[in-house]
């Protein structure tokens, strides 16, 4: 069973909105455009990116993202 603190952390990260309503080109749309992905695929990558951030925070050892998640990471930075 997972630690309740981990569940709370993941819930908070998942609730964090990367696509600002006022943005002319929201994060997910920009990620899709820059990578040549569909908006639906980019949205799935954003979910995996958030899950990766949570994993990196609790793993206790270095973790490596997939190529797609790495693209989201670099755009977010």
């Amino acid at each position: 069973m997972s630690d309740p603190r981990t569940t709370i952390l993941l819930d908070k990260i998942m609730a964090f909105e990367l696509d600002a309503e006022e943005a002319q080109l929201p994060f997910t749309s920009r990620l899709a455009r820059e990578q040549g992905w569909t908006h639906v695929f980019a949205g799935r990558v954003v979910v995996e990116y958030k899950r990766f951030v949570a994993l990196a925070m609790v793993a206790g050892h270095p973790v490596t993202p997939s190529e797609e998640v790495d693209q989201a990471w670099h755009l977010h930075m």
Side-chain angles (χ1 to χ4, degrees):
M1 188 161 289
S2 67
D3 182 336
R5 293 172 298 175
T6 301
T7 302
I8 291 168
L9 173 66
L10 182 57
D11 288 346
K12 286 182 177 184
I13 290 171
M14 294 305 285
F16 181 77
E17 186 56 63
L18 287 168
D19 291 320
E21 287 183 31
E22 68 279 358
Q24 288 184 339
L25 187 60
F27 183 84
T28 302
S29 297
R30 183 173 173 195
L31 182 63
R33 185 184 72 181
E34 290 186 7
Q35 297 304 315
W37 299 336
T38 66
H39 194 272
V40 170
F41 183 76
R44 289 180 17 216
V45 171
V46 167
V47 170
E48 291 305 313
Y49 167 58
K50 290 178 178 183
R51 293 176 67 202
F52 174 77
V53 169
L55 174 65
M57 293 177 73
V58 301
H61 56 80
V63 293
T64 304
S66 67
E67 180 63 33
E68 293 83 2
V69 168
D70 193 49
Q71 294 304 319
W73 174 271
H74 284 282
L75 180 60
H76 193 203
M77 290 187 346

